[in-house]
Structure formats: C-alpha cells, structure tokens
Amino acid sequence: MTDFARTRALFHMPEGVFYLDGNSLGPLPKSAVQRVQDMMTAQWGEQLIRGWNASGWMMQPRKLGDRIGRLIGAPQGTVVVGDTLSIKVYQALASALDLNPSRRVVLSDSGNFPSDLYMAQGLLGSLDKGYELKVVEPEAVEASIDESVAVLMITEVDYRTGRLHDMKKLTAKAHAAGVITVWDLAHSAGALAVDLEGTKADFAVGCTYKYLNGGPGAPAFIYVAPKHTDKVRPALSGWLGHESPFAFDLDYRSGAGIDRMRVGTPAVIAMAALDAAMDAWEGVSMADVRKQSIALADLFIREVETRCPELTLASPRNGAERGSQVSFRHPEGYAIMQALIARGVIGDFRAPDAIRFGFTPLYIGEQEVLGAVGVLEDVMTNRRWDEPQYRKKALVT
Amino acid sequence: MTDFARTRALFHMPEGVFYLDGNSLGPLPKSAVQRVQDMMTAQWGEQLIRGWNASGWMMQPRKLGDRIGRLIGAPQGTVVVGDTLSIKVYQALASALDLNPSRRVVLSDSGNFPSDLYMAQGLLGSLDKGYELKVVEPEAVEASIDESVAVLMITEVDYRTGRLHDMKKLTAKAHAAGVITVWDLAHSAGALAVDLEGTKADFAVGCTYKYLNGGPGAPAFIYVAPKHTDKVRPALSGWLGHESPFAFDLDYRSGAGIDRMRVGTPAVIAMAALDAAMDAWEGVSMADVRKQSIALADLFIREVETRCPELTLASPRNGAERGSQVSFRHPEGYAIMQALIARGVIGDFRAPDAIRFGFTPLYIGEQEVLGAVGVLEDVMTNRRWDEPQYRKKALVT
C-alpha cells in the first residue's frame, strides 16, 4: 500500500491553503529547490559547456521519459520529454497523419483541450490537402469512428468535467476501422493508471506540470508505440532528433526510435525540477492513487451536494467514469471561485460556468477535502461571492 | 563607455578556467541562482496556481522579448520568448512562406546551422507542394537571390567560422526581388549590434543560452516586423497565441501582434534564470561590446598565428566580417580541443576539423585571451593532444 503520509511530506504547502488545483499546477516538491540550485551552481556554474557530457544533460529527456513511462504503461525507451504539450500534439498528429495517408478526417471532440484543436487547425491549414477536423460531442466519438477517419485525437480526461473516455475501447474500435490514435494524457498522467501498451495506443502526449508536479511550464512528453517509431517521419525535424546531431550534416536523417521526436536543445534547468518531482513517485502505486482519488472526489461530491444545493454537479457521478477532478456548475462560478481563493481554497474556473477541483492523493487527504467543503458552504450560504472584486476577471482564470 | 569590470563581476567563473565558449553556453549569472530560488519558493511554492497572475508569469515572454529587443534593434512589442530555436525557425519560415505564396524556393546556405536546414526540410516535406530548399555556398547567397525565391533563410553569423553575412545588404537585395527574409541571430544577439528595424528584416529568431547567458536550454525568441504581424497565420497555433486563451473557444483566432507567435505554456522557471541574465545588459552598449570583442579576437588571432603556426585560421581576418568567435583548423582539431579543455581552456570543436573560441567582453578580457593562447601554445608545441584519451569522442562535442 502506498504511503501517502510519506509523499505528502515531500511537498511544500502554504499555511492556510486547501489546494485542490494540482490538476492545473502541481505544488512545489521540496527537493526541487535544492536540485535546481545544484544543477545551476555545481553543473552550469562549474562545468559550463562540459555539463552536457559530465552531467548527462543530453540524456535527461530520455531518462525522464522512462520515469514517466512507468506511470503510463509505456515500455522503456518509448517516451521522451521536451517542448510544450501543444508542440507535442502537433508532432504526434503530423506523424499519425503520415501513417494514414489516404484518409482526410481528424476526429476529435468538443471536450478536447482547445489548444489541441488549435494545433490541429494550424497543421491541417498548413497542409492544405483537404483535411477536415471533425469535432463531435464526447458522447458521439465512438459512433463517429469509421473508415473515413485518419486519426482519432482525443484527450482522455475532459479538462472541464473530468469525464473519462474509455481508451481501450475507443482505441480498439479505431484500429478495427484502420484509424490511428493520438491520446492526450494531460489530465491522466499521474492521476490514473494509464496503460499505453495494453490499450495499444499509437501516440500519446502529456504535460508534467499538473499531476507530475514539474513546475509552471515544465516540459511535455510524447510516446510513440514501438511498432510505429521507425516509420515516423518527424515534421518537426530538429537537430536533436537527428541520427548524429554533432556530425552537423546538411541533411536530416532521423535518429533511432523515440529520439527522433526530440527537436531542439533540452531545457536543462526545467528538467532538474521535473527530475526532483519524479522522485515522489518512487514506491507509489498508480492503482492506490486512483483508488484514493476516487474516494476523495466521492466524499467531496457527497458533501457539496448535501451542503451546497445551489451547485450542480458537472462531472460524472460514477468515479470509474471520471478522472481525478470534479466540477460543479453555477452561473456565478467565476465569482464563487474568486471568493474561495480569497479564503484559501484554491481550485479554478473554466468558462463558462464551471468551478473545478482536483484530488491528488500524493499531498491531499480527507482533511483538506472536508476543510474545503466547509469554506465552500460558507461562501454559498452567505453569498460571500457577491462582492464586486470577485467579478473582476484576471488574465489567467 | 560600458563598465566591463562591473559586468564581469556579475558572472561566476570556475577557478583555473579560461572560458572561450560563451558562444555555445554562456556562464552562470550569479544572481540567477537566487532569482530562480525565489521564483520556486516565494512564487510557485507559496502562490501556487495564483502565480500566473500574482507574479506575472503569463507576461514574462513579452517582457523578456522587450529586453532582448533592445539588443537587436527591435521595437517594443515585436519580440516574444518561448520554445526552442528550432521551433522558432519553423514558425518563422512557415509564416514567411505564407506571405509569399506564389513562389517555391527557400534559399539558404551551407553555413546555416544544420537544425535550421533540418526544420526547413521537415516543413517543406510536410507541405508537399513542390517547395525546394536551395542550399548554396555562403559566398553565393547574394547572387542567388532572384524572383524565384520565396524566402531567404540565413544565419547571420556562421556557427563554425564566425563569418558574418551583411544583413542590411542581403535584406535589401531580397526585398528588391520580392523575397521575405528570416534571420537566425543565434550567434548575433548579445554579440554584435543587430539592427532589425534599420535593416528591415522580416523575421528573426535566436536563442538565449549563448551570448545572453540564460542557461542550458534557455528559451528562444522570435521577432516579426510590425508590418507583417497581423498578416501572419501561425502554423503552430497554440492556445497562448489565441486572442483569448482563457475563453477556451473551440476555434483558433490569432491574438494581436507578436502574441500570436506564442504557442504553449511558458517555461516559467527557465525564464526566471533568463530574466536575471538579462540584468547584466543594463547599461551595456552593444557598440562597446562589439568593439571589445573584435579587439580580443584580433589579439587572439595575432598571438595564435605567431605562436602556433600549425593552426590555420578558418575565420575572416577582418573583424568587421566576423561575429564574435574565431576558429582555427587542424586535422587533429578534436584531440587538440580535448587537450585544451583538460587544461582549463574551454572552447569547442565543430566537425570536421575546427576548434572554435568565442570572445565575450561581458566576462572575458585580455588576460583570459593571453592565458588561453599560452596553454594552446603548450598543447601544440609539445603535442599534448597526442594521447589516446583525447581521441575518444564524447556524446556532445
């Protein structure tokens, strides 16, 4: 059984805060501060350019990929870290389209994170070959998979409601219809037990600043199923994906395996923080995390529905159909969230009307859940949200 | 007159090292350690998700862009930081091609950094519209600019030899032929006085881990001339380039001005280091930097040619035709550089036979130049490079 008291002690949590927004930005792993400082002073400061070899900076994207791979059911050597999630979506989609050249439909859903859809729009617009981005309702995805579809591009967990797609079922249906799959694990990696190998997903991408606690803007990752890797022609063919980057050839030749999904120079400082964050997962069972996150979310739903009847559950009630977050709807959702944050209960708001709470057993337990519900009840019962300062929209919501 | 004694004191330099590789990775700005630590503890640790608003993380790419803009002659609001240089090359080239839709040639030269050529190969391959990447010798660029060319994509300073292209002349010739220009400033920004506005460059990109000292893998930047910005259709259309990222619309609509060249979530930890690094440029005149770097490089060339006759100058002798680095050729260049590094003289090797030294007046003066030449003379005269361990190729050269 995973020792959550141990993992909880690894994170810094400010006084007086109930943090239910690890699904947006994970908290600071205490060891990351020293890890980054050491990287900066002992490596960058003392080794200078020699750090690329002496401290293994060049291999970090692969090492971190393997550490993440363990949490998402990916074999060693199939995941690499780098860039941002949007870039990784672009890479995966471009490669997936290449593997299915005779078809012209990219199927996605309206529950996908908008940036995934935007990146697809940018790519398909550039390709200008009659591609169609078909965006259906999440419930209609399964029925929309047919032999016209080149790529199914889906985020497993809906960023607003936490609704969970059935990766195994959709991937199987896609494969039966000759469709390549691209799964976005932004709200899955570190939240639930993803099994990329078992579900036979073709491509997967994700970010590391949510449940993996890598810090704001931490690098993303990409997985390519081994059967595809050597067939993939990288659209973003940067030098670090080259077979021999330091030969400085004029012509691109893809590197072996997952290395070809590397693009530019790796973000070494950011990766030092992520490496420290990944330590927290040592000895952690994703099955335990999943079980506990469902228990916490179920408790939250039960308490909120009892004590705050004005709020409407926006997430699936059945924990098995949900990721690790729960949303409630209210026309004044934005102001309610601002009032909560002012009182130390940190969740976030997703337009148009959802207040969203994430449950992250690594550092959140029943005490925080019940504490947060107490504040929410006060905010709702006493209309604490009904003050002008809570309606002023911030840049980031 | 710039006070180089002041700037020199801002950087950490290991004992016993003559660092002539700031053109590959700038040294650690002392203040960056504390800046990053504060960002991690006081911002990420205490503010958590609130840091996006409270600490202005979301605006950092624009603020840093403006700080860099001052060094490269770019007006405020025309530069934004993010991603890697390879990604920024892709963005710039894709946009430039869009602005010149009836032509099919991308003109570059064999002195361009290979990753720029690779990214172009990837993009043109994806577009699959009959584009040709025409790579000529650097000396043939000017004569190759004609009305068949859509985009001239050039690195101003040759990464191997330091040979400097005439940005103003080539841009003028390009414009006269209806060609859009993309300039890579990897070895220019912070090394010489670039004047993007004055030379009328259309697009420019660069990295911040060389002369700008942002740290290994620090984010890149992109400039778009104001007359083009609102016409550019971003190929990498990520959510942070959207007009309203937090509206979470399903359709991409580009943000105003340079914001549309943003893609994914900004790398906040990396940007904290870069922000500290940019402080070193306050009160620094690029004209002074340029003058001093030429003086140091001239001194180095004079001394090396006198004392190490086996080495052949690979860089232009005339400082005005050179960036801030000097290369010498020798068939045993790799082993020579390893022997130098073992003795604390850090430059680097660029295949097939160039040993490369960068001159960075912010923290390097005559004393280091003469000290390095002394070691080089010993290595050459006494064939110190002729030992087997110096021939063993490292991952990064």
XYZ file of all heavy atoms in Angstrom, chain A residues 111-190:
603
model
N -14.798 18.136 -26.029
C -14.223 18.087 -24.687
C -12.711 18.054 -24.735
O -12.062 18.001 -23.692
N -12.152 18.093 -25.923
C -10.697 18.149 -26.029
C -10.227 19.511 -25.539
O -10.945 20.504 -25.636
C -10.269 17.929 -27.484
C -8.861 17.354 -27.590
O -8.091 17.435 -26.630
N -8.520 16.794 -28.722
N -8.988 19.567 -25.068
C -8.465 20.868 -24.659
C -8.309 21.731 -25.912
O -7.778 21.277 -26.921
C -7.121 20.701 -23.944
C -6.652 21.989 -23.325
C -7.349 22.549 -22.265
C -5.548 22.653 -23.812
C -6.946 23.757 -21.702
C -5.136 23.863 -23.257
C -5.842 24.407 -22.190
N -8.781 22.983 -25.841
C -8.785 23.804 -27.056
C -7.430 23.869 -27.770
O -7.385 23.875 -28.995
C -9.231 25.172 -26.539
C -10.140 24.845 -25.404
C -9.507 23.645 -24.745
N -6.339 23.900 -27.027
C -5.053 24.047 -27.717
C -4.796 22.859 -28.645
O -4.166 23.016 -29.693
C -3.895 24.209 -26.722
O -2.771 24.772 -27.372
N -5.295 21.682 -28.292
C -5.132 20.527 -29.177
C -5.871 20.772 -30.491
O -5.354 20.493 -31.575
C -5.676 19.254 -28.509
C -4.876 18.861 -27.262
O -4.346 19.746 -26.575
O -4.792 17.650 -26.976
N -7.075 21.303 -30.364
C -7.852 21.594 -31.573
C -7.182 22.709 -32.377
O -7.114 22.642 -33.603
C -9.282 21.999 -31.189
C -10.072 20.954 -30.382
C -11.436 21.505 -29.984
C -10.227 19.652 -31.175
N -6.659 23.715 -31.668
C -5.993 24.821 -32.374
C -4.763 24.323 -33.142
O -4.512 24.729 -34.280
C -5.527 25.911 -31.403
C -6.577 26.542 -30.525
C -6.209 27.237 -29.366
C -7.942 26.481 -30.837
C -7.153 27.833 -28.543
C -8.889 27.079 -30.014
C -8.488 27.748 -28.864
O -9.415 28.346 -28.049
N -3.973 23.490 -32.481
C -2.771 22.980 -33.146
C -3.159 22.162 -34.379
O -2.501 22.225 -35.414
C -1.925 22.137 -32.190
C -1.287 22.910 -31.036
S -0.260 24.344 -31.456
C 1.211 23.576 -32.139
N -4.227 21.391 -34.237
C -4.712 20.608 -35.389
C -5.155 21.547 -36.505
O -4.844 21.331 -37.675
C -5.852 19.695 -34.958
N -5.872 22.610 -36.139
C -6.318 23.569 -37.161
C -5.116 24.181 -37.878
O -5.110 24.335 -39.101
C -7.178 24.660 -36.512
C -8.559 24.138 -36.076
C -9.280 25.065 -35.085
O -8.928 26.226 -34.917
N -10.295 24.527 -34.427
N -4.085 24.530 -37.105
C -2.880 25.110 -37.707
C -2.204 24.122 -38.645
O -1.840 24.472 -39.777
N -2.066 22.898 -38.190
C -1.399 21.890 -39.014
C -2.201 21.590 -40.279
O -1.657 21.610 -41.390
C -1.200 20.599 -38.200
C -0.663 19.397 -38.983
C 0.730 19.677 -39.552
C -0.619 18.148 -38.096
N -3.491 21.343 -40.111
C -4.308 20.988 -41.284
C -4.374 22.161 -42.263
O -4.347 21.959 -43.478
C -5.716 20.551 -40.846
C -5.761 19.364 -39.871
C -7.197 18.940 -39.602
C -4.932 18.180 -40.375
N -4.426 23.377 -41.723
C -4.413 24.563 -42.590
C -3.124 24.642 -43.394
O -3.142 24.937 -44.590
N -1.995 24.354 -42.752
C -0.720 24.397 -43.460
C -0.658 23.309 -44.525
O -0.167 23.534 -45.632
C 0.451 24.189 -42.489
O 0.560 25.272 -41.596
N -1.132 22.128 -44.179
C -1.045 21.010 -45.128
C -1.912 21.283 -46.359
O -1.522 20.947 -47.473
C -1.478 19.697 -44.452
C -0.566 19.224 -43.322
C -1.099 17.930 -42.718
C 0.866 19.027 -43.815
N -3.089 21.901 -46.108
C -3.904 22.380 -47.224
C -4.178 21.268 -48.242
O -3.995 21.435 -49.447
C -3.143 23.557 -47.883
C -3.992 24.278 -48.925
O -5.227 24.177 -48.852
O -3.412 24.933 -49.813
N -4.571 20.108 -47.720
C -4.794 18.958 -48.614
C -6.205 18.419 -48.458
O -6.432 17.211 -48.607
C -3.818 17.835 -48.263
C -2.386 18.090 -48.682
C -1.486 16.945 -48.246
C -0.046 17.255 -48.622
N 0.896 16.305 -48.018
N -7.106 19.306 -48.067
C -8.490 18.866 -47.944
C -8.791 18.119 -46.661
O -9.811 17.422 -46.575
N -7.943 18.260 -45.654
C -8.232 17.625 -44.365
C -9.417 18.304 -43.684
O -9.599 19.516 -43.789
C -7.023 17.719 -43.429
C -5.961 16.682 -43.703
C -4.738 17.053 -44.264
C -6.181 15.349 -43.403
C -3.744 16.111 -44.515
C -5.204 14.403 -43.650
C -3.982 14.781 -44.201
O -3.035 13.843 -44.446
N -10.159 17.500 -42.947
C -11.262 18.040 -42.162
C -11.033 17.699 -40.692
O -10.735 16.550 -40.352
C -12.585 17.395 -42.624
C -13.796 17.852 -41.817
C -15.009 16.913 -41.957
O -14.961 15.978 -42.787
O -15.988 17.116 -41.214
N -11.148 18.695 -39.832
C -11.146 18.435 -38.394
C -12.605 18.306 -37.968
O -13.354 19.291 -38.000
C -10.461 19.581 -37.632
C -10.500 19.454 -36.104
C -9.738 18.227 -35.613
C -9.920 20.721 -35.455
N -12.986 17.087 -37.626
C -14.388 16.832 -37.283
C -14.492 16.783 -35.764
O -13.930 15.881 -35.124
C -14.789 15.493 -37.904
C -16.247 15.156 -37.788
C -16.557 13.901 -38.624
C -17.968 13.416 -38.383
N -18.217 12.169 -39.127
N -15.168 17.769 -35.193
C -15.280 17.865 -33.732
C -16.704 17.501 -33.331
O -17.639 18.247 -33.627
C -14.917 19.284 -33.243
C -15.057 19.377 -31.736
C -13.501 19.655 -33.676
N -16.853 16.373 -32.677
C -18.189 15.920 -32.266
C -18.330 16.032 -30.752
O -17.357 16.311 -30.040
C -18.439 14.457 -32.720
C -18.292 14.324 -34.240
C -17.487 13.489 -32.006
N -19.514 15.832 -30.275
C -19.696 15.792 -28.818
C -18.997 14.551 -28.266
O -18.904 13.527 -28.952
C -21.189 15.738 -28.475
C -21.936 17.032 -28.786
C -21.309 18.238 -28.093
O -21.285 18.263 -26.855
O -20.811 19.144 -28.806
N -18.516 14.634 -27.024
C -17.777 13.489 -26.455
C -18.567 12.180 -26.542
O -17.993 11.128 -26.815
C -17.568 13.902 -24.994
C -17.577 15.400 -25.013
C -18.516 15.790 -26.107
N -19.867 12.258 -26.366
C -20.679 11.050 -26.372
C -20.781 10.446 -27.776
O -21.155 9.282 -27.932
C -22.091 11.351 -25.857
C -22.146 11.861 -24.424
C -21.610 13.284 -24.250
O -21.625 14.064 -25.239
O -21.141 13.614 -23.142
N -20.474 11.275 -28.781
C -20.644 10.811 -30.167
C -19.342 10.287 -30.770
O -19.320 9.868 -31.932
C -21.191 11.954 -31.016
N -18.270 10.305 -29.990
C -16.980 9.909 -30.552
C -17.033 8.479 -31.066
O -16.674 8.195 -32.217
C -15.852 10.076 -29.514
C -14.575 9.381 -29.984
C -15.578 11.554 -29.254
N -17.483 7.587 -30.225
C -17.423 6.171 -30.590
C -18.168 5.899 -31.897
O -17.637 5.240 -32.799
C -17.990 5.305 -29.451
C -17.730 3.833 -29.689
C -18.281 2.944 -28.569
O -18.636 3.483 -27.500
O -18.341 1.725 -28.781
N -19.358 6.460 -31.996
C -20.169 6.212 -33.195
C -19.592 6.898 -34.435
O -19.947 6.548 -35.560
C -21.595 6.702 -32.949
N -18.722 7.863 -34.220
C -18.173 8.607 -35.363
C -16.907 7.981 -35.931
O -16.364 8.473 -36.922
C -17.894 10.054 -34.958
O -19.054 10.653 -34.431
N -16.410 6.962 -35.292
C -15.203 6.305 -35.797
C -15.594 5.414 -36.974
O -16.353 4.470 -36.815
C -14.547 5.442 -34.684
C -14.091 6.338 -33.535
C -13.376 4.643 -35.254
C -13.603 5.571 -32.306
N -15.113 5.756 -38.138
C -15.380 4.909 -39.303
C -14.189 4.974 -40.252
O -13.167 5.590 -39.930
C -16.691 5.325 -39.982
C -16.650 6.754 -40.487
O -15.550 7.223 -40.900
O -17.691 7.425 -40.470
N -14.342 4.385 -41.413
C -13.195 4.240 -42.301
C -12.837 5.509 -43.064
O -11.915 5.509 -43.876
C -13.403 3.034 -43.218
C -13.451 1.764 -42.365
C -13.438 0.457 -43.148
O -13.519 0.515 -44.390
O -13.327 -0.601 -42.494
N -13.563 6.601 -42.797
C -13.152 7.892 -43.362
C -12.098 8.568 -42.477
O -11.403 9.477 -42.911
C -14.361 8.827 -43.490
O -14.779 9.270 -42.205
N -12.017 8.102 -41.247
C -11.175 8.799 -40.263
C -9.710 8.361 -40.376
O -9.416 7.168 -40.360
C -11.686 8.541 -38.827
C -10.781 9.196 -37.794
C -13.123 9.041 -38.678
N -8.815 9.329 -40.486
C -7.381 9.032 -40.493
C -6.868 8.901 -39.058
O -6.181 7.939 -38.718
C -6.616 10.152 -41.201
N -7.220 9.892 -38.233
C -6.674 9.957 -36.874
C -7.780 10.312 -35.886
O -8.564 11.232 -36.123
C -5.552 11.012 -36.779
C -5.026 11.114 -35.351
C -4.413 10.690 -37.744
N -7.796 9.582 -34.790
C -8.653 9.928 -33.654
C -7.769 10.643 -32.638
O -6.817 10.049 -32.117
C -9.242 8.656 -33.049
C -10.020 8.825 -31.736
C -11.289 9.641 -31.960
C -10.364 7.460 -31.138
N -8.061 11.907 -32.388
C -7.224 12.724 -31.500
C -8.071 13.179 -30.312
O -8.950 14.027 -30.460
C -6.695 13.936 -32.277
C -5.802 14.842 -31.463
S -5.336 16.366 -32.352
C -6.793 17.374 -32.050
N -7.785 12.598 -29.157
C -8.697 12.737 -28.019
C -7.910 12.979 -26.736
O -6.847 12.391 -26.539
C -9.507 11.415 -27.854
C -10.419 11.179 -29.064
C -10.294 11.389 -26.569
C -11.671 12.012 -29.073
N -8.440 13.835 -25.876
C -7.901 13.933 -24.527
C -8.679 12.969 -23.646
O -9.918 13.001 -23.631
C -8.007 15.371 -23.991
O -7.184 16.216 -24.804
C -7.503 15.455 -22.555
N -7.940 12.110 -22.953
C -8.628 11.037 -22.218
C -9.582 11.596 -21.160
O -10.705 11.138 -21.020
C -7.599 10.109 -21.540
C -8.247 8.867 -20.937
C -7.279 8.008 -20.138
O -6.190 8.508 -19.767
O -7.616 6.844 -19.875
N -9.121 12.594 -20.405
C -9.942 13.166 -19.332
C -10.326 14.592 -19.717
O -9.459 15.422 -19.984
C -9.158 13.193 -18.003
C -9.990 13.856 -16.906
C -8.746 11.790 -17.588
N -11.606 14.877 -19.735
C -12.099 16.204 -20.087
C -11.587 17.224 -19.080
O -11.781 17.059 -17.877
C -13.631 16.172 -20.100
C -14.245 17.447 -20.645
O -13.930 18.538 -20.105
O -15.030 17.365 -21.591
N -10.948 18.284 -19.600
C -10.326 19.264 -18.691
C -11.358 20.008 -17.856
O -11.031 20.523 -16.788
C -9.454 20.250 -19.483
C -10.221 21.268 -20.289
C -10.315 22.590 -19.874
C -10.861 20.913 -21.471
C -11.026 23.524 -20.617
C -11.567 21.839 -22.215
C -11.648 23.146 -21.775
O -12.348 24.056 -22.503
N -12.606 20.078 -18.342
C -13.619 20.815 -17.583
C -14.322 19.925 -16.566
O -14.442 20.271 -15.398
C -14.653 21.424 -18.541
C -14.068 22.429 -19.519
C -14.992 22.592 -20.697
N -15.344 21.276 -21.243
C -16.146 21.061 -22.257
N -16.726 22.086 -22.858
N -16.396 19.843 -22.694
N -14.777 18.778 -17.025
C -15.660 17.975 -16.169
C -14.986 16.746 -15.564
O -15.554 16.116 -14.674
C -16.848 17.454 -16.994
O -16.319 16.577 -18.010
C -17.607 18.594 -17.643
N -13.833 16.385 -16.081
C -13.211 15.161 -15.613
C -13.764 13.900 -16.270
O -13.310 12.799 -15.974
N -14.758 14.048 -17.163
C -15.299 12.861 -17.839
C -14.182 12.082 -18.530
O -13.327 12.636 -19.193
C -16.349 13.263 -18.878
C -16.925 12.091 -19.660
C -17.482 12.495 -21.024
N -16.764 13.586 -21.638
C -15.553 13.504 -22.191
N -14.893 12.355 -22.215
N -14.988 14.579 -22.701
N -14.205 10.774 -18.321
C -13.115 9.913 -18.774
C -13.549 9.129 -20.010
O -14.592 8.468 -19.988
C -12.786 8.945 -17.637
C -11.676 7.919 -17.792
C -10.329 8.601 -17.959
C -11.663 7.011 -16.545
N -12.753 9.222 -21.070
C -13.002 8.354 -22.219
C -12.446 6.964 -21.932
O -11.502 6.813 -21.155
C -12.310 8.903 -23.469
C -13.121 9.906 -24.222
N -14.392 9.642 -24.683
C -12.834 11.173 -24.626
C -14.852 10.704 -25.333
N -13.934 11.656 -25.307
N -13.007 5.968 -22.589
C -12.522 4.597 -22.446
C -11.434 4.368 -23.502
O -11.729 4.076 -24.661
C -13.701 3.623 -22.625
C -13.289 2.180 -22.364
O -12.100 1.844 -22.570
O -14.163 1.389 -21.970
N -10.198 4.524 -23.072
C -9.092 4.486 -24.022
C -8.996 3.142 -24.728
O -8.754 3.066 -25.930
C -7.759 4.791 -23.306
C -6.610 4.945 -24.274
S -4.990 5.118 -23.458
C -5.162 6.697 -22.700
N -9.221 2.096 -23.963
C -9.069 0.766 -24.537
C -10.139 0.501 -25.600
O -9.842 0.067 -26.706
C -9.149 -0.293 -23.432
C -8.865 -1.681 -23.936
C -8.401 -2.604 -22.836
C -7.789 -3.862 -23.471
N -7.121 -4.687 -22.477
N -11.362 0.836 -25.244
C -12.473 0.573 -26.167
C -12.355 1.423 -27.431
O -12.500 0.932 -28.553
C -13.800 0.840 -25.456
C -15.018 0.409 -26.254
C -16.284 0.351 -25.411
C -16.892 1.749 -25.291
N -18.214 1.722 -24.629
N -12.086 2.727 -27.246
C -12.022 3.612 -28.414
C -10.833 3.256 -29.312
O -10.932 3.327 -30.537
C -11.949 5.081 -27.977
C -13.221 5.649 -27.340
C -13.021 7.124 -26.982
C -14.430 5.499 -28.273
N -9.714 2.885 -28.666
C -8.553 2.519 -29.476
C -8.842 1.247 -30.280
O -8.499 1.156 -31.462
C -7.318 2.336 -28.577
O -7.078 3.561 -27.873
C -6.087 1.997 -29.399
N -9.492 0.290 -29.636
C -9.823 -0.954 -30.345
C -10.765 -0.679 -31.508
O -10.567 -1.170 -32.627
C -10.457 -1.955 -29.371
N -11.764 0.156 -31.263
C -12.705 0.469 -32.353
C -11.977 1.214 -33.473
O -12.206 0.972 -34.659
C -13.866 1.306 -31.807
C -14.788 1.768 -32.906
C -16.264 1.716 -32.600
C -17.038 1.890 -33.928
N -18.302 2.575 -33.765
N -11.095 2.137 -33.073
C -10.321 2.884 -34.071
C -9.479 1.925 -34.914
O -9.504 1.981 -36.151
C -9.428 3.914 -33.374
N -8.785 1.026 -34.269
C -7.920 0.114 -35.017
C -8.723 -0.783 -35.951
O -8.292 -1.054 -37.078
C -7.063 -0.706 -34.042
C -5.973 0.108 -33.407
N -5.159 -0.369 -32.420
C -5.565 1.383 -33.623
C -4.296 0.578 -32.058
N -4.530 1.645 -32.766
N -9.892 -1.194 -35.476
C -10.731 -2.039 -36.327
C -11.125 -1.301 -37.603
O -11.333 -1.910 -38.652
C -11.971 -2.485 -35.557
N -11.198 0.043 -37.505
C -11.572 0.841 -38.675
C -10.346 1.418 -39.381
O -10.477 2.296 -40.238
C -12.520 1.961 -38.250
N -9.158 0.965 -38.993
C -7.940 1.453 -39.647
C -7.562 2.874 -39.261
O -6.913 3.591 -40.023
N -7.947 3.301 -38.068
C -7.704 4.670 -37.590
C -6.513 4.674 -36.628
O -6.400 3.796 -35.772
C -8.964 5.209 -36.865
C -8.714 6.590 -36.280
C -10.164 5.204 -37.806
N -5.640 5.670 -36.762
C -4.515 5.854 -35.838
C -4.975 6.748 -34.681
O -5.716 7.707 -34.889
C -3.326 6.527 -36.560
C -2.877 5.697 -37.764
C -2.177 6.794 -35.615
C -2.042 4.504 -37.436
N -4.512 6.440 -33.465
C -4.979 7.206 -32.301
C -3.880 8.085 -31.708
O -2.721 7.688 -31.618
C -5.474 6.253 -31.186
O -4.421 5.337 -30.867
C -6.688 5.476 -31.629
N -4.280 9.279 -31.304
C -3.414 10.206 -30.561
C -4.129 10.555 -29.269
O -5.191 11.194 -29.294
C -3.128 11.494 -31.366
C -2.345 12.478 -30.518
C -2.389 11.185 -32.666
N -3.566 10.140 -28.154
C -4.186 10.379 -26.847
C -3.435 11.475 -26.098
O -2.216 11.402 -25.937
C -4.167 9.096 -26.008
C -5.164 8.105 -26.506
C -4.926 7.066 -27.358
C -6.565 8.075 -26.205
N -6.094 6.389 -27.597
C -7.120 6.981 -26.907
C -7.402 8.863 -25.406
C -8.474 6.650 -26.835
C -8.751 8.535 -25.335
C -9.281 7.450 -26.040
N -4.188 12.464 -25.630
C -3.605 13.496 -24.777
C -3.857 13.090 -23.316
O -5.009 12.937 -22.905
C -4.250 14.845 -25.100
C -3.676 15.982 -24.253
O -3.070 15.717 -23.186
O -3.855 17.156 -24.647
N -2.761 12.916 -22.582
C -2.831 12.449 -21.193
C -2.626 13.577 -20.184
O -2.230 13.335 -19.042
C -1.773 11.366 -20.967
C -1.803 10.178 -21.947
C -0.661 9.214 -21.631
C -3.147 9.465 -21.885
N -2.913 14.818 -20.588
C -2.655 15.962 -19.706
C -3.261 15.757 -18.323
O -2.628 16.043 -17.306
C -3.191 17.244 -20.337
N -4.494 15.258 -18.288
C -5.172 15.064 -17.002
C -5.198 13.596 -16.587
O -6.015 13.197 -15.756
C -6.591 15.634 -17.069
C -6.624 17.128 -17.118
N -6.626 17.906 -15.988
C -6.591 17.988 -18.163
C -6.637 19.179 -16.331
N -6.608 19.263 -17.646
N -4.325 12.795 -17.200
C -4.273 11.362 -16.894
C -2.961 10.975 -16.223
O -2.965 10.235 -15.230
C -4.401 10.543 -18.181
O -5.530 10.919 -18.927
N -1.845 11.457 -16.775
C -0.532 11.026 -16.269
C -0.377 11.466 -14.823
O -0.423 12.655 -14.518
C 0.580 11.617 -17.129
N -0.232 10.515 -13.939
C -0.118 10.812 -12.519
C -1.456 10.887 -11.822
O -1.522 11.058 -10.605
